[in-house]
Amino acid sequence: MSTTIDVNTAFAAEKTAQIESVRERERAFEARVDRGEIRLLGGDRYEVLTGWDRGESFTVSRNAQGEIEAIIARHGLDERADGTIALYASSPAWHGLGQIIPGGTTDIDGVLALSGLDFEVTTVPALYRWGEELREHADQRHTVRTDTGAALGAVGRKYTPIQNRQGFEFLQELVGKFDVVWESAGLLRGGKRVFISIRLPEAVRVDADAINDIVVPYVAVMNDHSGNGQFQCVVTPWRPICANTERFAVRDAVTRWAVRHTKGAIDEIKEARRTLGLSVHYFERFAAEETALARTDIAVQEFHDVIAELWPLDDDAKDRTLTNHANRLGALDGMFHTETERVGRTAYAAERAITGYLDHVAPRRPGKSMTEELARATAVMEGADDELKTKAHRRLLLLRQG
């Protein structure tokens, strides 16, 4: 017996559900204001008063009816004197912040100027006062911005700064030759760490014949002026649907290239042109392994077993540790359920839940000069969880072989 569906009724029901969802979000937001968790700063800007993200500000975007359309977080990127964010983006990537140029640009100097990276770094003697005398530490120097005089870090005598333009100009050739797109550029912590990322032209498709999940391929280039890091290029798969950074090691492919700040560094950076070719191979392997996970069914208990290996719990764990463990498991279970509704109960859904948890939910203790959101963004950019993501990826691949 066939069943007739009234499309008008179905559409009306769907529209009613959407309207109720908007109203529920509005009620939840107003409830947070009433409880004193957030407060209005003026206009559409609010400040968070409680929790890990205390002190962070955000903007609420509303439609013509006054309903909330989006909550735009401030990520803590450095501001210029005119109040604009020190970030260039070819599209409204970082939640609409930064200097937006539709369609991007192929001019490296334009990118550096728009992102606030058009400064140089020099080294000056490290001085200390001994009684009435000012002495020099012969084996140590300080890195300093030549435009503002701001100190960036303490370094050794042989340290040679890699200037922003020197480090990033090899990307100019890639932009013109391989049709890649300048995606974003910015500086953190007053210029101690700077970055540029480029988007490769071809998206990666996971399990193209089934779920056809889209992953956008990037190459991020980072320069450190504090003395605590290297100049490095990393391949960075990004999943737009949930903003997860899916960076982990895959078999027989290079994920990261780095060089120390020395006199010969610039010559070595020229070799970074190979990064594009290496990244293409990486993304081919990445798509193959992710497709294998997408075709591997997984039971909830198997998912819990993987979590137990990633975050082992001692038999004599304290109550606080047990509570944190339970909260983590609950969050991961909820994210796993959400993923399974879209891509099935597979190892791929399990991996998406784990990477999503690490990127967006796992607690971050920000430093004194950082918001939690900035600490989270920095951890993602610098790959703080890459090792844990790799461990999860490799463990889930074993289920395919079992």
Side-chain angles (χ1 to χ4, degrees), residues 2 31 48 52 128-129 173 271 280 287 306 311 319 332 371:
S2 62
V48 180
W52 284 104
Y128 64 96
R129 184 170 295 280
E173 178 183 333
E271 290 298 308
V280 169
V306 174
W311 291 279
D319 289 346
L332 284 163
T371 65

Side-chain angles (χ1 to χ4, degrees), residues 14 27 36 75 118 128 162 178 201 206 218 281 287-288 317 350 362 394:
E14 181 180 350
R27 287 193 292 266
H75 280 68
D118 54 344
Y128 64 96
I162 298 174
F178 296 102
V206 175
Y218 287 87
H281 181 56
R394 289 174 175 169

